Amino acid sequence: FWCTLQLGAGVMVLSIRGKKTPLEERTNRPADTAFKQQKLRVWRPILSPTAAIATFATTGLLFLPIGLVLAAVTNQVVEVESINYAAVCTTNPCYINLTVTEKMVAPIYLYYKLSNFYQNHRNYVRDREDAQLAGESSLTPSALSCTAAKTRYPAGSAGLAEAGWEFNSMQNVVSPCGLIASSVFNDSFRLSTAGGAPVPISESEIAWETDRRLKFQNAADGSTGRNFAAFNYWRSASCDDLPDTSLRQPCLDAADSTLGPVGWCFPGSGYCAEDEHFIIWMRTAGLPTFRKLFGTIAVDLEPGVYRVQVSNGVLDPNTGLYMKQDLSGPQEDLYPVSVFGGTKAVVISTLVVGLGGKNPFLGLAYIALGVACIVRNPSPPRPPTAT
Amino acid sequence: MIDGEFVDSVWTDVQVGDVLKICNRENIPADVVLVASHEPDIDAPRGACHVETMQLDGETNLKGKMVPSVFSNALGASLELQLANFAKLPGHVEVEAPNASTNTFNGMLHVQGYPPAPLSITNVLLRGSTLRNTDYVLGLVVNTGRDTKVMQGARKPPSKESSIYHSIQLMMVGIVILLIILCLAASAGTESAYSAIGLDSHWYLQDGTSNNFFLNTLYFFTLLSSFVSVTLNASIALVQKVIAQFMQWSLDMYDQDSDTAATVRTASLVDELGIITHVFSDKTGTLTQNVMQFRKASINGVSYGRGTTEIGLARLKRLGELPTDEVEALEAGLVCKAGAGKELVNFDDPALDEILRKPLQVGLPSTQEACCREFFLHLALCHTVVTEIFEGKTTLSASSPDEAALVSAAQHFGFEFVDRHHDTVTVRDTTQGERLLRYDVLDVLEFTSARRRMSVIVRNCDTRAISLLCKGADSVMLPLLAPDQDELKLRTEQHMIDHSNDGLRTLVITSKELNEETYLAWSREYRRATSDILELERNAREEPNKIDQLCNELETRLKLLGSTALEDKLQVGVPACIADLVRGGIATWVLTGDKEETAINIAFACQLLDAETDLLVISRRNHSTLESMRAALQNGCQTHPNKEGARKGLVVDGDALELLMKTGTEQAGAQLAFLHYTQQCAAVVACRCAPTQKAELVKLVRRNVRGAATLSIGDGANDVAMIQAAHVGVGISGQEGMQAVNAADFAIAQFRFLRELLLVHGRNNYRRLSVLVYYIFYKNVMMVLSVYWFNTYNAFSGSKWNLEVGYQLYNALFTLFPILWIAMTDRDVSDENSRVLPQLYQLGIRRHYFNAWAATRWVLQGIYESLAVSFVCIYGLLKMSNNGEDPDLYLIGAATLTLAVIIVRVFTTHPSPCSRRLRACHVCTTLRPTPCTHSRT
């Protein structure tokens, strides 16, 4: 090796000979800078056996405990899932049991879980109009990017003529439009102990803060909820019935709309497009089986059997019956999933702060990697065989 | 000439029909028919002139041209007469259609009052040649510009593209096929989703559109189209440009003597430099400096001349007979003496000077002194050199650099060749005082490659003694020596072996006294033979003939004077460079217009051939038919070298090549045998090659040897065809003439920079570009496929889980710049290691970094990583969204994209998916520094 090196040096010495251009005339000489000569400082990591073994060992010894801690912490999460109540519920409301075997410490989260529901289907995901959801005014059907459920009446239908509407008018628009909005999940849940004592569920501040603040607003022109069945009750409700009395005046201010009574669907009401269950639904799930937050429970749950009341529709305080959204009659069915083979369930769970629910993946991944690093640690190389 | 007056004119203004006056050492600006030439002797006009055609065909000797006899008879000898008479001659010239053949010319000269006279190539000066040894010529322009033969021969430069582009296209096809398969699979998936999942019953999905297999396929096609990156070609071009700039900036390829840096003229070929299998090199001006130096001599059994040569030094090192410090001392001495530069005599031995220059003593000179004087007198007489007066100085004009060196040596030692006039040679003897010696040259028995010797018969004008002076190659000269000088012969032979080992070219110097009667008798016979046209023709065809027979008769029983040793000065660092190329697995071919002996000598000097090489010589002389050529080649293929480690070598001459290169079924067999043999050869030397033959050879290899990547290197116009024919053309710049450089893809100032160009830059570039291409494919495959796998979770609906902007930024911003920078600057081993381990270059020749398997590996790597990323994101994020929800679509998408970017960028620091083989290869090459045999057929 050194011989060759010296030969190289020799060749370089030999090259300085012959007819020489004087130094000052060598105008074509490339500049001898680190950049141009590619002599910038470099880091050339050499995977020597020592370095490799040390790296693997360190990684393994670091990851294994982290994984064990994560697995242990995740394991402390208490999660209770009900049966598929779509299979058992024939009435509205319907009651199912949740059996808590370990004490659950607040905050406790209550989810509904759907399966075989393709919220991630291309046709479904794209079928929404964000501008409309964000409360932009005067979005006529032609301005909407939805494919389905855009207008109350199709072009040329008898209904359109009867109502005396233009097809592409704000009267005819469906707000919010699209498949996602129109299939909004509308079962609701009440929790009580076996003895019948209600367990309060908070349904506020469950959606993303940015979604609530920026992306979902009732439109100022009163179009939100127009021709949209799921918001019928709110849109036709009286301002006097608003639970939050401070909102009654804004409600009254917004009530006079060219698009008919606005009801509670005015900007800032917290209902209609601003309803947090609606907002959560509109954030489409990535997988066909998913759980979405329904509410939070602020009290500890002792082990025992709890009753969940599943209902659909609007509770008529006078009759105690669950009515259709337009109060035209009793709502008989829950949210339909059995027709396409889907399931519904209620889940309550505690969480680990910062890590979420009961998913052992992260802990197992760390453990697996740690073990792999230690087991697959490269052995020291064999000495080269003489040739 | 305009209206009888000569005006200075630029060559663009020259038109057909003009009469030009071209002065000595001027370039001929157009193809012209000779009209008149300067007559040194007004009384005996000869109508002759000399041209040098190096720029045309690479041959360095002077060629004679003749004024057509019509003109030489009619015009007279002085310029005034010639002009006046020419103006009075009405007539016209008929010439052939413009063509590229530089060896033939057909035309007819019609002059009123004379019968039509044919014109041949000897009457024509071609553009590109240089007038030599003649004060002026008058010429009639017959072809200009593109019609000239040199321009007809220069073809339009073919557009070249790197083989990596070709591979990319293949890869594209593969990728598109994969793409189509994936799209069809996905569409089939959509169909099955409709039946298996029953999507029709999913009421929330019904938007009025219907499922269409064809449209779904198209949709997936657009979704996966990023498989083929839009940035690929632009990235490659950009990286190549930047790399080219770095190459031009390289100080390692800057020649400070000529103040020339490397030039990259075709940036798209920078990576092709890393896979070169065959280097075709011109000889003159490329391997050698075309300077012959007188270095040593053996006179009367005494060796003169000290020091060694680069080649000798290399040999000493190889043999390891000398301690290192002595070799180093010799090396240092070599460097000091190298200052001799381009002098024709580079001789260092005071002993000889002492003998020759000691003051005249009373009495007879010693034997040794007499021998030395005779020796150098011989050198001053036995040659065909003519004097040439140029810019007031007398210079020697020799047909070969050997003769120039020998005559200069004679002058150096006090026997100056003054003049040759009317067959009388004047030599000025300055050894003891100054006196002029005159000799009549009675006959010149010329050098031919068959005789391999030349003789002159001279008569001393003072003593009237006749002597035969003969010099030639040892193999033919030694048997011709007179007996009873065995001891001297043995000693001289030993010296010649020593000289040969130093890479010097030796000539045996002999003489013989002739008595008047013998000579006259012989002379009569000789005159008769040389005036016999039949014998002359036979002689020209190198068939047995009377002339040769007579020469042989006279050249016997010669007295051995000694031997000379000339060094054909190689360009600096050529042997080391070639040795490294061989170790790098590159076959080197020397293609030259020179004669066989010269070519072989140079091959030896460059260490392409050595004493152990099994050399096969194919020439028209020893193989007159195609069949015998084929048989010899096939036989050569089957024989194994008798010695362990001995290599095979091939020498082929232009005539043999001409026979071989013709198209035809018969030729095909011989060509195949030729290629088979050459692929086993460590070195191939082709001599007496015309420029087109050089190109033909390159094309033959290029077309027929699988995986061949050819590189041609040359400096002259005669190399242009070869440079254009090869995959990569390299021109030697900074010397005379820019034709080669203008036709080339790369220009370097010295042959030795080829090592830097190939082993360092080429190797790096090829690896960098390979990594760039694969990486761009890999990162896109990974990204796109991660979306694809997601579709198995959304009923193959074609859903994306990230926004379009993330998709596009991934390609153009997040992952592109790191790899571009790496592709511009990365090196796997230091430049120093690339130089000392040329074996690393073989990885390129074996297409280690860029082949179908590597491509598959990268794609598989992308597939594997996309699977890992997708499924980690799908399962790892369950219940881990805000408030323990399952993650929404865009959360998974964002996580996938982030992971993909991180993995893809971490991967840039370790860009080969399979490093194990590489490592093994490194070890193998480190442990085994012997050159790997280059045996692909």
Side-chain angles (χ1 to χ4, degrees):
Chain A
F1 177 82
W2 283 111
C3 280
T4 337
L5 199 70
Q6 281 175 1
L7 184 68
V11 169
M12 269 147 72
V13 171
L14 285 177
S15 72
I16 309 167
R17 59 195 255 180
K19 180 189 63 163
K20 286 183 183 136
T21 313
L23 204 59
E24 61 274 16
E25 286 172 27
R26 287 177 199 157
T27 50
N28 295 328
R29 186 187 170 87
D32 191 2
T33 61
F35 175 72
K36 288 188 174 180
Q37 298 308 318
Q38 298 269 289
K39 300 251 163 63
L40 294 168
R41 287 174 63 81
V42 291
W43 178 58
R44 211 190 298 276
I46 304 290
L47 272 181
S48 66
T50 322
I53 291 170
T55 313
F56 272 83
T58 316
T59 314
L61 293 177
L62 204 65
F63 277 27
L64 202 52
I66 292 178
L68 290 171
V69 168
L70 284 177
V73 168
T74 314
N75 205 36
Q76 286 178 352
V77 170
V78 184
E79 185 183 282
V80 179
E81 185 176 334
S82 75
I83 53 163
N84 169 22
Y85 70 82
V88 296
C89 282
T90 50
T91 59
N92 178 24
C94 157
Y95 297 89
I96 51 174
N97 288 342
L98 272 179
T99 309
V100 178
T101 52
E102 283 176 72
K103 180 182 176 182
M104 298 175 79
V105 182
I108 300 163
Y109 297 79
L110 189 143
Y111 310 93
Y112 56 90
K113 181 177 176 185
L114 301 182
S115 76
N116 200 25
F117 195 105
Y118 287 88
Q119 256 207 323
N120 57 10
H121 195 282
R122 180 163 60 94
N123 292 359
Y124 191 82
V125 169
R126 67 177 182 196
D127 216 21
R128 62 192 289 152
E129 175 56 62
D130 285 324
Q132 195 185 44
L133 294 168
E136 199 172 305
S137 294
S138 312
L139 286 172
T140 55
S142 63
L144 302 175
S145 60
C146 302
T147 315
K150 247 161 60 159
T151 54
R152 170 79 175 82
Y153 297 113
S157 78
L160 202 59
E162 206 170 289
W165 294 345
E166 296 280 318
F167 168 69
N168 187 30
S169 67
M170 290 306 289
Q171 279 96 0
N172 198 26
V173 80
V174 172
S175 178
C177 68
L179 288 177
I180 312 179
S182 67
S183 62
V184 62
F185 184 81
N186 58 2
D187 284 357
S188 53
F189 311 96
R190 296 280 171 272
L191 189 66
S192 58
T193 58
V199 180
I201 299 174
S202 162
E203 296 173 40
S204 63
E205 297 185 9
I206 51 174
W208 290 26
E209 199 269 336
T210 46
D211 282 359
R212 278 185 279 138
R213 189 157 47 83
L214 301 171
K215 294 181 70 182
F216 292 87
Q217 294 284 321
N218 293 325
D221 67 350
S223 59
T224 306
R226 176 87 189 163
N227 300 323
F228 188 72
F231 294 168
N232 254 350
Y233 172 73
W234 289 325
R235 195 168 160 88
S236 52
S238 156
C239 289
D240 298 337
D241 296 336
L242 269 170
D244 186 344
T245 49
S246 66
L247 289 172
R248 285 178 187 169
Q249 191 52 46
C251 176
L252 289 169
D253 293 344
D256 299 325
S257 160
T258 53
L259 298 173
V262 174
W264 295 355
C265 296
F266 60 90
S269 67
Y271 294 97
C272 304
E274 294 169 18
D275 176 48
E276 295 199 37
H277 294 305
F278 177 73
I279 295 174
I280 285 179
W281 180 258
M282 292 304 288
R283 188 165 275 278
T284 50
L287 301 172
T289 297
F290 56 89
R291 70 182 195 188
K292 284 181 178 290
L293 189 59
F294 182 79
T296 53
I297 300 164
V299 296
D300 296 353
L301 294 183
E302 297 298 330
V305 178
Y306 292 83
R307 272 166 71 83
V308 181
Q309 181 207 42
V310 185
S311 58
N312 195 314
V314 183
L315 177 66
D316 186 337
N318 302 322
T319 61
L321 288 174
Y322 282 89
M323 309 296 287
K324 290 180 181 167
Q325 284 282 338
D326 56 5
L327 305 177
S328 62
Q331 169 73 37
E332 287 165 0
D333 300 320
L334 298 177
Y335 189 80
V337 294
S338 299
V339 281
F340 55 82
T343 65
K344 298 189 284 192
V346 179
V347 181
I348 54 172
S349 172
T350 59
L351 296 183
V352 180
V353 176
L355 280 178
K358 199 177 186 71
N359 181 355
F361 186 91
L362 201 57
L364 289 179
Y366 268 95
I367 292 171
L369 198 64
V371 168
C373 280
I374 292 165
V375 172
R376 281 280 292 144
N377 201 351
S379 49
R382 283 176 289 123
T385 45
T387 46
Chain B
M1 181 166 64
I2 295 171
D3 298 332
E5 293 285 317
F6 282 107
V7 288
D8 278 341
S9 181
V10 291
W11 68 266
T12 44
D13 294 337
V14 172
Q15 290 182 353
V16 174
D18 286 355
V19 174
L20 305 178
K21 180 186 172 194
I22 301 152
C23 296
N24 197 12
R25 302 256 177 165
E26 283 185 349
N27 282 321
I28 315 286
D31 292 355
V32 297
V33 170
L34 273 173
V35 169
S37 71
H38 172 67
E39 299 295 351
D41 190 350
I42 305 277
D43 303 328
R46 294 191 305 158
C49 71
H50 289 98
V51 287
E52 184 210 49
T53 54
M54 198 170 106
Q55 291 294 309
L56 224 55
D57 54 16
E59 293 181 33
T60 52
N61 58 337
L62 299 186
K63 293 197 175 67
K65 297 279 179 180
M66 295 299 295
V67 176
S69 55
V70 178
F71 287 139
S72 55
N73 294 337
L75 293 185
S78 73
L79 181 61
E80 293 75 34
L81 266 177
Q82 286 166 343
L83 285 174
N85 290 336
F86 183 66
K88 287 180 213 151
L89 280 184
H92 66 277
V93 179
E94 255 174 50
V95 295
E96 61 183 357
N99 62 61
S101 163
T102 54
N103 295 325
T104 61
F105 183 86
N106 290 316
M108 199 59 91
L109 180 62
H110 300 273
V111 181
Q112 218 167 46
Y114 294 87
L119 293 173
S120 77
I121 193 72
T122 57
N123 308 122
V124 178
L125 305 185
L126 298 180
R127 174 171 166 193
S129 45
T130 312
L131 190 65
R132 292 290 296 273
N133 216 7
T134 314
D135 277 3
Y136 71 88
V137 293
L138 298 182
L140 180 66
V141 178
V142 290
N143 276 324
T144 58
R146 296 191 182 284
D147 293 340
T148 55
K149 288 190 180 271
V150 65
M151 290 300 284
Q152 289 277 314
R155 262 168 236 112
K156 217 176 133 205
S159 72
K160 296 182 181 177
E161 60 178 26
S162 131
S163 62
I164 238 172
Y165 271 107
H166 183 67
S167 312
I168 288 172
Q169 322 236 300
L170 283 181
M171 199 169 169
M172 288 273 196
V173 172
I175 288 283
V176 168
I177 289 173
L178 179 63
L179 185 59
I180 290 171
I181 291 173
L182 286 173
C183 288
L184 290 174
S187 283
T190 317
E191 294 298 313
S192 74
Y194 270 85
S195 55
I197 306 171
L199 278 189
D200 284 329
S201 61
H202 287 242
W203 52 268
Y204 56 92
L205 292 178
Q206 308 312 318
D207 61 355
T209 56
S210 59
N211 181 39
N212 179 315
F213 185 86
F214 179 68
L215 285 180
N216 283 339
T217 313
L218 279 187
Y219 183 79
F220 274 103
F221 206 85
T222 57
L223 184 73
L224 303 183
S225 61
S226 296
F227 246 38
V228 182
S229 171
V230 288
T231 55
L232 181 64
N233 281 339
S235 305
I236 293 174
L238 176 70
V239 166
Q240 284 173 332
K241 279 270 179 251
V242 173
I243 283 178
Q245 190 55 56
F246 276 127
M247 287 168 73
Q248 302 196 117
W249 278 334
S250 172
L251 274 176
D252 294 323
M253 292 198 290
Y254 165 75
D255 181 41
Q256 49 186 351
D257 297 346
S258 60
D259 189 27
T260 315
T263 318
V264 179
R265 293 167 44 87
T266 314
S268 61
L269 287 177
V270 290
D271 50 288
E272 194 79 357
L273 292 173
I275 53 168
I276 297 298
T277 56
H278 293 77
V279 167
F280 296 89
S281 174
D282 175 43
K283 193 211 77 156
T284 315
T286 304
L287 293 177
T288 68
Q289 302 176 356
N290 201 25
V291 172
M292 213 61 79
Q293 284 190 337
F294 186 83
R295 287 298 304 272
K296 294 185 181 186
S298 160
I299 304 170
N300 195 26
V302 182
S303 177
Y304 296 102
R306 300 187 303 193
T308 182
T309 60
E310 231 175 290
I311 297 154
L313 201 64
R315 181 174 163 276
L316 287 180
K317 276 187 184 167
R318 196 171 65 234
L319 296 176
E321 280 170 1
L322 278 181
T324 322
D325 50 339
E326 275 187 43
V327 172
E328 273 168 15
L330 285 171
E331 205 167 55
L334 199 62
V335 173
C336 295
K337 243 193 323 34
K342 298 205 165 179
E343 295 298 317
L344 296 179
V345 180
N346 180 10
F347 194 86
D348 169 36
D349 198 345
L352 192 55
D353 288 326
E354 206 172 291
I355 287 176
L356 284 168
R357 299 203 190 273
K358 69 181 173 189
L360 190 60
Q361 286 175 350
V362 190
L364 287 172
S366 69
T367 328
Q368 187 62 29
E369 190 189 338
C371 284
C372 288
R373 292 178 59 84
E374 196 179 349
F375 183 83
F376 287 108
L377 186 60
H378 182 296
L379 295 188
L381 289 174
C382 181
H383 56 78
T384 56
V385 173
V386 290
T387 53
E388 181 182 4
I389 296 166
F390 178 65
E391 289 176 352
K393 278 187 288 183
T394 307
T395 54
L396 301 177
S397 183
S399 64
S400 76
D402 299 62
E403 289 207 319
L406 290 177
V407 175
S408 300
Q411 180 177 352
H412 179 86
F413 291 106
F415 293 88
E416 184 190 350
F417 167 69
V418 181
D419 196 6
R420 182 192 296 274
H421 189 72
H422 280 295
D423 293 339
T424 302
V425 172
T426 312
V427 174
R428 183 183 293 131
D429 177 3
T430 56
T431 48
Q432 279 122 13
E434 191 176 313
R435 61 196 175 114
L436 290 177
L437 309 173
R438 285 207 172 73
Y439 288 85
D440 285 338
V441 177
L442 302 175
D443 283 294
V444 178
L445 312 185
E446 277 178 5
F447 180 93
T448 65
S449 49
R451 281 159 42 78
R452 304 181 68 195
R453 60 183 180 268
M454 79 162 284
S455 302
V456 292
I457 302 169
V458 294
R459 185 203 294 273
N460 188 325
C461 292
D462 300 332
T463 62
R464 312 298 294 169
I466 301 174
S467 47
L468 171 87
L469 308 177
C470 183
K471 65 178 182 188
D474 50 356
S475 57
V476 294
M477 293 300 285
L478 292 178
L480 302 176
L481 295 182
D484 75 24
Q485 34 188 352
D486 286 347
E487 198 201 344
L488 174 61
K489 190 173 151 188
L490 274 177
R491 275 209 302 259
T492 308
E493 265 185 286
Q494 185 53 49
H495 292 151
M496 279 170 27
I497 289 168
D498 291 345
H499 294 162
S500 299
N501 284 338
D502 277 349
L504 302 177
R505 305 167 59 163
T506 55
L507 276 180
V508 176
I509 304 295
T510 61
S511 71
K512 178 185 181 181
E513 302 296 325
L514 293 174
N515 62 40
E516 194 79 28
E517 296 79 53
T518 325
Y519 171 70
L520 285 177
W522 178 86
S523 181
R524 265 195 303 278
E525 289 286 310
Y526 188 67
R527 298 272 172 272
R528 194 177 305 147
T530 48
S531 53
D532 185 342
I533 296 202
L534 206 65
E535 295 294 335
L536 277 174
E537 271 178 14
R538 277 193 200 151
N539 189 31
R541 285 201 304 269
E542 297 187 1
E543 288 167 7
N545 60 72
K546 195 83 190 286
I547 300 173
D548 281 352
Q549 192 191 326
L550 281 166
C551 292
N552 294 347
E553 259 173 38
L554 207 62
E555 292 164 340
T556 49
R557 304 183 63 83
L558 300 168
K559 177 184 155 208
L560 180 62
L561 292 178
S563 70
T564 58
L566 302 180
E567 183 179 6
D568 189 357
K569 289 291 280 182
L570 291 176
Q571 297 243 1
V572 178
V574 165
C577 174
I578 287 189
D580 281 344
L581 294 187
V582 170
R583 286 168 73 202
I586 303 170
T588 309
W589 294 33
V590 177
L591 312 182
T592 172
D594 271 304
K595 54 184 186 283
E596 194 179 308
E597 291 77 19
T598 321
I600 292 177
N601 275 328
I602 290 299
F604 270 95
C606 296
Q607 297 182 327
L608 270 173
L609 305 175
D610 55 36
E612 274 143 35
T613 307
D614 213 356
L615 197 62
L616 177 66
V617 179
I618 299 283
S619 69
R620 197 65 173 273
R621 209 166 52 241
N622 54 17
H623 298 281
S624 53
T625 66
L626 203 57
E627 189 46 42
S628 77
M629 255 185 245
R630 195 175 62 82
L633 287 164
Q634 278 177 343
N635 193 30
C637 284
Q638 277 144 18
T639 54
H640 295 285
N642 39 8
K643 260 177 280 178
E644 189 64 32
R647 301 177 299 176
K648 290 182 182 179
L650 176 70
V651 177
V652 63
D653 80 343
D655 291 337
L657 278 179
E658 199 181 334
L659 202 61
L660 203 63
M661 286 301 172
K662 280 182 195 144
T663 48
T665 45
E666 204 186 344
Q667 271 81 5
Q671 282 177 8
L672 200 66
F674 176 75
L675 283 171
H676 267 291
Y677 189 74
T678 53
Q679 293 315 299
Q680 297 180 358
C681 285
V684 177
V685 178
C687 44
R688 288 228 154 283
C689 271
T692 46
Q693 282 180 320
K694 293 184 183 183
E696 287 296 323
L697 262 184
V698 174
K699 281 184 202 154
L700 184 75
V701 172
R702 185 179 172 154
R703 281 201 208 102
N704 298 308
V705 180
R706 207 164 62 85
T710 55
L711 178 146
S712 292
I713 178 167
D715 70 323
N718 60 319
D719 304 316
V720 168
M722 163 172 103
I723 283 171
Q724 290 180 346
H727 289 96
V728 179
V730 179
I732 302 279
S733 60
Q735 314 278 328
E736 60 209 282
M738 290 296 287
Q739 283 99 325
V741 170
N742 288 339
D745 306 303
F746 300 91
I748 51 178
Q750 294 274 324
F751 182 84
R752 75 189 137 95
F753 292 154
L754 202 56
R755 183 175 79 154
E756 196 72 18
L757 191 71
L758 297 182
L759 300 185
V760 181
H761 290 282
R763 202 185 81 81
N764 273 330
N765 296 348
Y766 163 65
R767 204 180 53 83
R768 290 169 181 169
L769 263 295
S770 308
V771 168
L772 175 72
V773 169
Y774 286 144
Y775 185 85
I776 287 180
F777 274 109
Y778 147 79
K779 74 184 177 67
N780 279 42
V781 162
M782 174 173 169
M783 182 63 214
V784 169
L785 278 185
S786 67
V787 176
Y788 187 77
W789 305 133
F790 169 59
N791 272 273
T792 57
Y793 286 87
N794 62 32
F796 287 103
S797 63
S799 231
K800 268 184 260 188
W801 56 15
N802 35 37
L803 299 172
E804 193 59 33
V805 59
Y807 218 62
Q808 297 301 334
L809 285 182
Y810 173 86
N811 218 338
L813 191 67
F814 298 152
T815 57
L816 190 63
F817 290 103
I819 189 60
L820 286 183
W821 182 243
I822 279 174
M824 288 167 192
T825 59
D826 180 52
R827 60 198 66 195
D828 56 347
V829 298
S830 68
D831 287 353
E832 194 48 49
N833 278 342
S834 293
R835 283 181 207 119
V836 300
L837 291 173
Q839 292 89 338
L840 291 176
Y841 191 81
Q842 293 176 11
L843 294 175
I845 292 175
R846 295 179 198 151
R847 306 289 200 276
H848 174 82
Y849 301 105
F850 205 88
N851 54 51
W853 170 231
T856 317
R857 232 163 43 205
W858 278 90
V859 170
L860 287 177
Q861 179 84 15
I863 292 173
Y864 157 69
E865 279 173 12
S866 67
L867 279 169
V869 166
S870 296
F871 288 96
V872 162
C873 287
I874 286 169
Y875 290 106
L877 288 173
L878 285 179
K879 303 179 186 174
M880 291 179 96
S881 176
N882 263 24
N883 299 330
E885 284 180 305
D886 282 331
D888 64 76
L889 193 66
Y890 296 114
L891 180 67
I892 304 183
T896 318
L897 189 78
T898 311
L899 263 188
V901 169
I902 291 172
I903 287 177
V904 155
R905 298 216 359 203
V906 164
F907 206 54
T908 51
T909 62
H910 177 64
S912 180
C914 175
S915 60
R916 192 171 297 159
R917 240 185 93 194
L918 182 66
R919 214 160 52 216
C921 206
H922 278 201
V923 170
C924 144
T925 49
T926 319
L927 292 177
R928 206 166 40 118
T930 50
C932 291
T933 47
H934 186 67
S935 59
R936 256 177 315 115
T937 49

